[in-house]
Amino acid sequence: MSEFHHIPVLFDEVITGLAIKPGGTYVDCTVGGGGHAQGILAKAGDGGLLIGIDRDPAALEAAQRRLQKGPGRFVLVHSNYTELDKVLAAHQIDGVDGFLFDLGVSSHQLDMKDRGFSYHQDAALDMRMNPQASLSAYDVVNGYSERELARIIGEYGEERWAKRIAEFIVARRQTGPITTTGQLVDIIKAAVPASARRLGPHPARRTFQAIRIEVNGELEGIKPAIISAIDHLKPGGRICVISFHSLEDRIVKQSLQESAKGCVCPKDLPVCTCGNVPKVRLITRKPITAGQEELATNPRARSAKLRVAERL
């Protein structure tokens, strides 16, 4: 297994956003290679505790190597942040001082050829963040109907040529299964008109994003996990969420805004009957993005957006 390559995005902004307390308890819900987690524990000190969650065993191995060199206690858990309640209960964690979610695919997963995430390298169609999961990109590409493919490519990839790409995939399947990322890229290039291929990002970028999101169920778990994290925060505790595309950011923004709302009764009602009280205050009204210095060393940070809220 190759070394887990992990450059934490918006590192300084996350450390500042979490307002880390010495001896505090923190949960990195997507620990990856442990870059953010290492910074959190460095600030929390010897009395600090970090729970690191990731669905990728390779990430947990890398985080273990990285975190054992520094201060503080840590526990790494092979799980998904959708299981946050169960993870905290299993480790008898009640109040938490801060949560971090770094959504999406990691640099290491993109760079590892055999994981099948990248449209720049020819590999088996996989895209599973958890290699033990049952659904793979192969299953989606070869098993979904044309209508289902068009829907996920259009909805999750926001791809204007979704219907045409789905048609080309299904037509190609008639001659045999599509087994590699290279084959899929060629199909997408054939489906997208030449005039569209000359402009914008790689023609396969949006379709690969859509299939990856479908394979890993990335969107449906975001809001419940954020709500769960907020419920476990101590007063004054912070939640930081990094997203990388508009679909994720929209869910994050709406989830935090809903948690920051007070009374939702109709304005003409003289007395509040809903009993709704705000759980958090928004620290960032607009998302924090990477500066030029970070972009110069880590171009993948260009789409990163950080939102922060504090428990009331």
Side-chain angles (χ1 to χ4, degrees):
M1 182 178 293
S2 67
E3 183 66 24
F4 199 99
H5 179 65
H6 178 74
I7 304 175
V9 301
L10 299 170
F11 177 84
D12 292 337
E13 293 83 353
V14 165
I15 299 303
T16 299
L18 284 172
I20 298 167
K21 304 171 184 177
T25 297
Y26 295 88
V27 180
D28 188 335
C29 297
T30 48
V31 73
H36 288 114
Q38 185 178 43
I40 292 168
L41 278 178
K43 291 281 286 185
D46 289 331
L49 171 64
L50 181 125
I51 306 294
I53 303 170
D54 209 288
R55 64 175 97 179
D56 189 340
L60 295 174
E61 289 181 16
Q64 174 73 32
R65 292 192 296 269
R66 192 166 194 163
L67 296 180
Q68 67 187 5
K69 300 175 183 177
R73 297 170 294 138
F74 65 91
V75 177
L76 300 179
V77 184
H78 183 216
S79 187
N80 191 325
Y81 56 69
T82 58
E83 301 292 321
L84 185 57
D85 286 340
K86 293 181 181 178
V87 171
L88 295 179
H91 292 87
Q92 299 179 318
I93 304 294
D94 284 329
V96 176
D97 294 292
F99 285 92
L100 170 63
F101 293 82
D102 184 358
L103 304 174
V105 66
S106 73
S107 297
H108 174 78
Q109 289 165 338
L110 286 170
D111 293 338
M112 282 289 289
K113 178 180 176 180
D114 62 354
R115 303 297 293 272
F117 284 100
S118 176
Y119 41 80
H120 292 301
Q121 303 181 84
D122 191 22
L125 276 173
D126 193 331
M127 300 193 197
R128 290 173 296 174
M129 292 181 178
N130 179 1
Q132 299 172 13
S134 58
L135 184 69
S136 71
Y138 176 92
D139 301 317
V140 172
V141 170
N142 291 286
Y144 279 29
S145 69
E146 182 178 317
R147 182 176 180 179
E148 289 174 316
L149 285 170
R151 178 189 65 79
I152 67 167
I153 296 170
E155 184 177 336
Y156 296 160
E158 299 179 296
E159 170 61 72
R160 63 176 296 196
W161 302 105
K163 188 174 185 299
R164 185 173 164 88
I165 292 169
E167 289 173 357
F168 274 58
I169 289 173
V170 171
R172 169 61 177 77
R173 284 183 343 205
Q174 305 310 310
T175 63
I178 301 163
T179 61
T180 70
T181 55
Q183 290 173 344
L184 182 57
V185 168
D186 289 342
I187 295 165
I188 295 166
K189 285 182 176 179
V192 176
S195 58
R197 294 201 306 269
R198 286 194 291 267
L199 302 173
H202 192 288
R205 178 182 174 184
R206 294 179 183 276
T207 299
F208 269 60
Q209 172 183 297
I211 295 171
R212 189 201 81 219
I213 288 173
E214 175 69 11
V215 167
N216 296 289
E218 293 177 41
L219 297 182
E220 56 261 36
I222 295 175
K223 182 174 181 178
I226 288 176
I227 300 304
S228 174
I230 288 172
D231 287 341
H232 287 287
L233 275 175
K234 297 177 183 177
R238 296 280 186 93
I239 178 171
C240 291
V241 188
I242 302 172
S243 61
F244 286 87
H245 56 77
S246 60
L247 297 175
E248 288 177 340
D249 184 57
R250 190 177 306 133
I251 296 171
V252 174
K253 178 182 178 181
Q254 291 174 350
S255 300
L256 294 179
Q257 286 180 337
E258 288 176 17
S259 294
K261 277 185 179 179
C263 175
V264 293
C265 292
K267 292 183 179 180
D268 57 353
L269 204 65
V271 179
C272 173
T273 59
C274 72
N276 194 56
V277 294
K279 293 182 177 180
V280 300
R281 71 180 181 94
L282 302 179
I283 302 299
T284 53
R285 292 289 173 178
K286 294 183 178 180
I288 297 170
T289 56
Q292 290 303 313
E293 184 176 346
E294 179 173 3
L295 291 174
T297 58
N298 185 14
R300 284 177 178 162
R302 68 185 180 276
S303 56
K305 294 181 178 180
L306 169 65
R307 294 185 184 272
V308 185
E310 181 178 278
R311 188 71 158 97
L312 296 173

